[in-house]
Amino acid sequence: MLTDTPVRLGVQLHPQHTTAQHMRDAVMRCEDLGVDIVFNWDHFYPLYGEPDGEHFESWTLLAAWAEQTERVELGALVNCNSYRNPDLQADMARTIDHISAKGGEGRFIFGTGSGWFERDYDEYGYDFGTVGSRLDDLAEALPRIEARWAKLNPAPTRDIPVLIGGKGEQKTLKLVAKHADVWHSFVKPEEIAHKVSVIDAWGEKVGRDTSNIVVSNELARADDEKADAYYDAGVRMFTLGLNGPDYDMVQVSRWLAWRDAKNS
């Protein structure tokens, strides 16, 4: 677990109940305020509110945000592995990496997971399978993605960071140990030490040093006391979800001040 690193704040702009212009404006406000990462999510329908409300697709938004911005990193929290061929995912990630580079290294973070929202699958014609089969598919996809990154011309501008979300100890945390640079979850502060020990144990079994994995968690329902508890437990990437259409930045400013205090 990497704790000798600054606290970073990622804002997840929920791509629902909003317009492309509202999202475009919100991305720029995040960049101007000093947010470290801007995320969306990879779904086809709203996750709450009016179920048939406005909604936009993840990867095309990320490409637009990569062109629009200069500094913030960006990615999905998280991509659904089921919706796209693994080699295509790798190529899309590499392309957004280059779009975002602006003369330096790219800013794309490959956040990924196995998928869970059944309506997406049913409406778009994907096989929903089971929790286990979707995780098995992700396990098969990640080596293909990494292999494709090694073959692409031009290559990615950097080793694209991989973020994996979830907490299951038999499959998900094994994938974290094998492939992830960032582990994201919603577990409680008191659970983190145990989960990290599971990741480390898997790292020993698969032959990978897991000490540099950054631990990430969510701030949406946290107060300062809980955020401090997450920090004390080793969390160094914090995410804050915002719903449209207006994407209120008051909480963003509040948590940026907390971040800066921790990093001072």
Side-chain angles (χ1 to χ4, degrees), residues 116-256:
W116 63 272
F117 190 41
E118 189 168 3
R119 185 183 181 188
D120 287 343
Y121 289 79
D122 292 344
E123 295 266 9
Y124 277 59
Y126 297 108
D127 179 21
F128 189 57
T130 66
V131 172
S133 69
R134 295 193 301 275
L135 281 166
D136 290 343
D137 289 343
L138 180 60
E140 292 177 7
L142 284 164
R144 284 179 58 182
I145 290 165
E146 293 164 349
R148 180 59 58 186
W149 280 338
K151 297 176 183 177
L152 287 169
N153 183 17
T157 67
R158 65 173 181 169
D159 290 334
I160 296 176
V162 175
L163 178 155
I164 296 177
K167 65 178 184 177
E169 296 183 7
Q170 295 305 309
K171 291 188 175 183
T172 301
L173 295 188
K174 181 179 180 180
L175 294 178
V176 171
K178 291 182 70 174
H179 301 282
D181 301 287
V182 181
W183 167 54
H184 181 78
S185 78
F186 297 88
V187 303
K188 297 176 182 178
E190 58 269 25
E191 298 177 87
I192 289 175
H194 169 69
K195 296 295 186 182
V196 168
S197 72
V198 173
I199 293 170
D200 291 342
W202 276 120
E204 291 182 8
K205 291 180 181 178
V206 302
R208 181 175 178 236
D209 180 6
T210 57
S211 63
N212 288 327
I213 294 175
V214 174
V215 178
S216 172
N217 211 297
E218 166 68 26
L219 281 171
R221 289 166 292 279
D223 55 17
D224 279 15
E225 182 179 1
K226 189 170 185 180
D228 288 342
Y230 277 123
Y231 179 86
D232 292 341
V235 175
R236 291 298 180 269
M237 180 185 290
F238 292 84
T239 63
L240 179 67
L242 296 181
N243 193 34
D246 296 324
Y247 300 109
D248 182 4
M249 294 288 157
V250 173
Q251 286 299 306
V252 176
S253 297
R254 160 186 166 22
W255 287 114
L256 284 170

Side-chain angles (χ1 to χ4, degrees), residues 62-121:
L62 292 172
W65 295 355
E67 181 60 34
Q68 176 187 353
T69 56
E70 300 289 336
R71 181 194 56 78
V72 291
E73 290 189 287
L74 59 149
L77 195 65
V78 290
N79 167 68
C80 178
N81 176 70
S82 304
Y83 303 156
R84 303 162 194 90
N85 170 282
D87 293 86
L88 175 61
Q89 292 180 57
D91 204 337
M92 293 164 69
R94 181 280 311 258
T95 299
I96 296 176
D97 168 73
H98 276 264
I99 292 170
S100 69
K102 306 294 180 71
E105 285 191 340
R107 295 175 284 123
F108 183 75
I109 295 173
F110 183 64
T112 195
S114 58
W116 63 272
F117 190 41
E118 189 168 3
R119 185 183 181 188
D120 287 343
Y121 289 79

Side-chain angles (χ1 to χ4, degrees), residues 30-48:
C30 285
E31 177 150 274
D32 291 344
L33 284 170
V35 168
D36 297 295
I37 311 154
V38 179
F39 293 107
N40 60 23
W41 65 36
D42 188 18
H43 296 287
F44 304 131
Y45 294 93
L47 297 187
Y48 56 90

